[in-house]
Amino acid sequence: ARSGGGAANVVLATSGEQISTPLPSITFLAGLLAGLTEAVAIVTPAEVCKIRMQSQQTTSASQSIKYKNVLQTATLLVREEGLGALYKG
């Protein structure tokens, strides 16, 4: 049976206690929102930083590299090119 709160009531067989569990549609939407948030906020900027670090070229061993790690790369990109640089394709 469904309740008005967007949850299904489930009776535990062992104790007879009723608990409220989210409907599958609510669970799906929560997972979708979490996945989108993670992709936009973490994965895309990290991928941009990774690609910048991999594509930098040095001509000699004495030449220092510009990007050293993901956090330093992200900070430098935002400082030099703005926040949008983390989302360039």
Side-chain angles (χ1 to χ4, degrees), residues 17-85:
E17 177 185 352
Q18 282 194 351
I19 60 169
S20 183
T21 59
L23 294 172
S25 58
I26 300 296
T27 303
F28 173 78
L29 288 174
L32 180 67
L33 182 60
L36 287 172
T37 302
E38 185 239 357
V40 171
I42 296 173
V43 174
T44 302
E47 286 289 319
V48 169
C49 292
K50 180 191 76 158
I51 291 168
R52 292 282 185 116
M53 289 188 301
Q54 288 176 336
S55 63
Q56 65 186 336
Q57 297 176 0
T58 57
T59 55
S60 68
S62 63
Q63 186 179 7
S64 65
I65 57 174
K66 183 174 183 177
Y67 304 120
K68 296 170 180 32
N69 59 53
V70 174
L71 187 58
Q72 182 264 349
T73 301
T75 304
L76 195 57
L77 281 175
V78 170
R79 191 177 300 146
E80 291 179 351
E81 301 177 35
L83 187 61

